[in-house]
């Protein structure tokens, strides 16, 4: 066990929603919900303003709309979020060679391995500087937890939210964990939590009191040993810089159940091609093809087939997925389909798969050619996902507020504008309107530092019931620790202009 809090856990605050608010002046300080907007869509991230109404991640979008009907509902822009994530991860890697990304907005860092921290004071200084760097480079905020282990560092970052820093001194972990819910511990989900509750165990202290043998009896050998160790604050897991990819998969959830067997087959073929594109992009191949089918009654079936050798051939993956589909009854309808490849390798054995010989590789072209003598299909109406970027020849850069019934409503504004932009409505086929790339959140200026308010940090003990005091920093109070580009950003006053509510149409799903 480490004797210094040199494990750092960073969690960007409401990442997707915060990025959308930063890029859209009219949404700052307002409720924003990002996720799938179709009838079966799910919330990916909700801003803190939306959470006040009870909207949370993984909630059905229909429920979120009932709770917060006046929020802005946006389709995710994953490419945009990935660009910001890369900037943040670069800052982390400047601190240490041991950075373990968990997702686009979350990572562990071993500060000791990079010489960035060796005791509590240096760790807290490094954490505060990191938060200042993130704000300067991306314009967003992140919460930082510092501790002697990964588990406690993650709990500390949760305590720091939003936009804070919490350091847990080594030796105080047991007192911190004791009164907390069993759900605080990694791996304790709703099912395990309910099982423990029925046994009279609701807090971490009660897990420790129950003893290892009782936990093994309740939840099994492996899980019982792990739970007991975590309750005693024993966590020796190292920060791992490279995490091996175990599988590559894609899946789609459909707004309306698919009953047509032919269409189900076509969807599986399309998913197989998407999966192979991801394989090739990662320079991988795989031996085991997996098909996932969620039926109309929410029952989920998984079928797999292991090939003689690894492949990234689309024909082979399509054929295997089709064979797996033959063993699944889809009569009642299908609400979700997925295709994955596991047993990954960095080489292929093309000669083992003669059954796919001569098939065209469909990955390079998404469209199909019109055969001679056939009339070309009618042009498909352009889709304008809510929240995505557009550019108009006359009005400049903007974003889609909503679309439907042949119309698209656009608000024209950029991240550096001092206030909300103007709104215009166009035909969806307006030739002067086109999709655009997102603009950077922080403008590259003439050398001024970011004009982001940086109040004096508030330090001091914050008492949690039954827990030791922890040092908390709510805003950066030190200059950036690593060189950052000279940037400028206009100050933004909260908008009091009501946001027009545009009912999403069929194009928003």
């Amino acid at each position: 066990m480490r004797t210094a809090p040199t494990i750092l856990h960073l969690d960007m605050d409401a990442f997707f929603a915060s990025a959308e608010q930063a890029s859209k002046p009219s949404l700052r300080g307002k409720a924003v919900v990002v996720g799938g907007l179709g009838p079966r869509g799910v919330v990916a991230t909700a801003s803190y303003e939306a959470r006040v109404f009870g909207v949370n991640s993984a909630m059905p979008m229909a429920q979120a709309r009932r709770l917060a009907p006046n929020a802005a509902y946006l389709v995710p822009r994953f490419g945009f979020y990935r660009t910001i994530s890369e900037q943040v991860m670069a800052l982390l890697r400047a601190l240490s060679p041991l950075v373990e990304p968990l997702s686009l907005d979350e990572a562990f860092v071993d500060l000791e391995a990079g010489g960035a921290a060796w005791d509590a004071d240096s760790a807290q200084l490094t954490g505060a500087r990191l938060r200042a760097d993130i704000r300067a480079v991306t314009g967003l905020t992140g919460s930082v937890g510092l501790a002697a282990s990964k588990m406690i560092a993650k709990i500390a970052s949760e305590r720091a939210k939003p936009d804070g820093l919490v350091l847990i001194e080594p030796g105080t972990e047991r007192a911190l964990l004791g009164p907390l819910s069993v759900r605080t511990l990694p791996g304790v989900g709703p099912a395990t939590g309910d099982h423990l509750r029925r046994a009279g165990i609701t807090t971490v202290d009660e897990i420790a009191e129950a003893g290892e043998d009782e936990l093994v009896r309740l939840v099994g050998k492996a899980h019982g040993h792990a739970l007991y160790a975590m309750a005693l604050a024993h966590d020796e897991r190292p920060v791992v810089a490279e995490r091996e990819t175990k599988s590559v998969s894609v899946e789609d959830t459909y707004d309306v159940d698919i009953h047509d067997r032919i269409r189900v087959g076509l969807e599986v073929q399309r998913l197989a091609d998407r999966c192979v594109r991801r394989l090739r992009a990662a320079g991988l191949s795989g031996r085991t093809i997996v098909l996932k089918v969620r039926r109309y009654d929410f029952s989920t079936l998984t079928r797999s087939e292991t090939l003689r050798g690894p492949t990234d051939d689309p024909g082979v993956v399509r054929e295997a997925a089709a064979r797996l589909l033959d063993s699944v009854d889809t009569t009642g309808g299908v609400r979700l389909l997925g295709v994955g490849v596991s047993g990954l390798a960095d080489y292929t054995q093309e000669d083992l798969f003669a059954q796919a010989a001569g098939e065209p590789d469909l990955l390079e072209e998404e469209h199909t050619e019109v055969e001679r003598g056939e009339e070309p299909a009618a042009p498909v109406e352009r889709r304008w996902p809510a929240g995505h970027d557009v550019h108009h020849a006359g009005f400049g850069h903007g974003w889609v507020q909503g679309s439907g019934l042949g119309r698209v409503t656009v608000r024209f504004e950029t991240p550096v504008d001092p206030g909300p932009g103007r709104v215009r409505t166009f035909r969806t086929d307006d030739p002067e309107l086109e999709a655009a790339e997102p603009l950077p959140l922080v403008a590259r200026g003439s050398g001024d530092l970011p004009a982001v308010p940086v109040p004096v940090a508030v330090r001091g003990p914050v008492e949690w019931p039954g827990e030791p005091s922890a040092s908390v920093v709510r805003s950066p109070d030190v200059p950036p620790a690593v060189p950052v580009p000279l940037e400028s950003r206009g100050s933004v006053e909260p908008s009091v202009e009501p946001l027009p509510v545009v009912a999403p149409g069929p194009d928003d799903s």
Side-chain angles (χ1 to χ4, degrees):
M1 189 75 176
R2 293 177 185 237
T3 58
T6 53
I7 299 294
L8 180 148
H9 180 261
L10 170 71
D11 197 350
M12 299 295 289
D13 299 322
F15 182 46
F16 296 172
S18 294
E20 297 296 348
Q21 289 175 317
S23 69
K24 301 171 173 66
S26 58
L27 297 185
R28 292 169 190 164
K30 294 187 170 71
V32 174
V33 181
V34 179
L37 302 190
R40 292 177 178 169
V42 175
V43 175
T45 308
S47 70
Y48 287 100
E49 295 85 354
R51 295 180 192 187
V52 172
F53 298 99
V55 180
N56 291 299
S57 299
M59 173 182 288
M61 191 61 77
Q63 182 182 357
R65 289 185 184 275
R66 289 193 296 270
L67 293 171
N70 294 322
Y73 290 86
L74 308 178
V75 176
R77 297 184 291 165
F78 288 112
F80 176 53
Y81 310 145
R82 190 171 293 108
T83 298
I84 301 172
S85 175
E86 289 169 355
Q87 294 176 310
V88 173
M89 296 301 166
L91 292 174
L92 299 183
R93 293 188 179 97
L95 296 176
S96 172
L98 292 183
V99 176
E100 182 178 340
L102 304 180
S103 61
L104 290 178
D105 60 342
E106 185 180 3
F108 286 109
V109 185
D110 187 334
L111 298 178
E112 188 175 12
W118 51 91
D119 58 15
D121 290 340
S122 59
Q124 183 152 319
L125 182 63
T126 299
R129 284 176 169 169
L130 171 65
R131 293 176 56 245
D133 290 339
I134 290 172
R135 183 184 285 269
V137 171
T138 70
L140 304 180
T141 63
S143 295
V144 167
L146 292 159
S149 69
K150 291 167 71 172
M151 179 180 74
I152 303 299
K154 182 173 176 60
I155 292 173
S157 69
E158 288 296 320
R159 296 286 183 175
K161 283 184 169 294
D163 190 21
L165 181 154
V166 170
L167 183 150
I168 305 299
E169 291 280 2
T172 66
E173 295 94 346
R174 285 288 304 278
L176 165 70
L177 288 174
L180 301 182
S181 165
V182 295
R183 292 288 305 277
T184 305
L185 299 180
V188 180
T192 302
D194 287 343
H195 191 57
L196 292 172
R197 179 182 53 79
R198 288 193 294 271
I201 299 173
T202 59
T203 68
V204 177
D205 261 345
E206 289 168 346
I207 288 180
E209 292 168 2
E212 194 166 12
D213 291 341
E214 177 65 8
L215 291 170
V216 168
R217 186 186 70 80
L218 287 171
V219 298
K221 186 175 181 179
H223 204 20
H225 289 313
L227 269 181
Y228 186 69
M230 289 188 292
L232 299 180
H234 294 165
D235 181 15
E236 300 295 335
R237 295 174 300 160
V239 176
V240 180
E242 297 296 332
R243 306 184 73 190
E244 182 181 359
T245 302
K246 296 182 179 180
S247 64
V248 174
S249 63
V250 297
E251 62 181 42
D252 278 343
T253 300
Y254 304 99
D255 292 340
V256 179
D257 290 348
I258 303 176
H259 294 83
D260 184 352
R261 183 74 178 189
I262 294 177
R263 188 188 165 194
V264 171
L266 292 174
E267 288 293 319
V268 168
Q269 301 298 294
R270 183 179 60 82
L271 290 166
D273 285 346
R274 279 175 54 195
C275 185
V276 172
R277 280 197 294 274
R278 289 194 178 184
L279 270 180
R280 290 185 170 183
L284 297 170
S285 60
R287 292 186 61 204
T288 301
I289 314 303
V290 181
L291 175 70
K292 177 180 177 182
V293 180
R294 181 166 298 152
R295 297 187 292 191
Y296 69 98
D297 58 358
F298 288 90
S299 62
T300 302
L301 303 177
T302 302
R303 299 287 185 267
S304 63
E305 176 182 320
T306 299
L307 307 173
R308 288 173 290 171
T311 184
D312 66 351
D313 187 302
V316 172
V317 176
R318 286 195 297 269
E319 282 192 4
R323 287 193 297 272
L324 294 171
L325 180 62
D326 288 340
S327 66
V328 178
D329 179 12
T330 62
T331 305
V334 170
R335 60 184 294 119
L336 177 147
L337 290 169
V339 174
V341 177
S342 59
L344 302 182
D346 57 2
Y347 64 96
T348 60
Q349 291 180 255
E350 305 280 354
D351 57 316
L352 295 179
F353 306 104
Q355 70 268 33
E359 287 197 8
D361 188 335
L362 302 181
L363 297 181
E364 298 301 323
E365 294 292 335
E366 292 280 347
H367 64 277
T368 56
E369 297 292 338
V370 178
E371 296 184 6
R372 293 180 183 179
E374 291 186 359
E375 291 294 328
V380 178
E381 184 179 15
R382 290 192 292 175
R383 299 181 67 251
W384 302 101
H388 282 224
D389 298 83
V390 295
H391 185 273
H392 190 274
F395 296 100
H397 189 91
W399 59 277
V400 177
Q401 282 199 181
S403 65
L405 303 177
R407 296 287 185 269
V408 54
T409 300
V410 178
R411 185 181 286 272
F412 291 97
E413 59 187 4
T414 69
V416 297
D417 288 344
R422 54 189 174 178
V423 177
R424 296 288 186 274
T425 299
F426 307 92
R427 298 193 317 273
T428 54
D429 60 352
D430 190 316
E432 295 190 317
L433 187 67
E434 59 184 3
E437 292 297 316
L439 299 177
L441 297 182
V442 178
R444 308 295 172 176
S446 57
D448 297 329
L449 290 174
V452 179
V454 184
V456 177
V458 179
R459 294 179 185 267
V462 175
E463 296 294 338
W464 301 319
E467 301 166 9
S469 62
S471 189
V472 179
V473 178
R474 286 295 174 196
S475 57
D477 62 338
V478 291
V482 297
V484 297
L486 295 175
E487 301 162 333
S488 62
R489 181 178 180 185
S491 59
V492 177
E493 294 295 329
S495 169
V496 295
E497 177 188 81
L499 180 67
V501 179
V502 179
D507 292 338
D508 287 336
S509 57

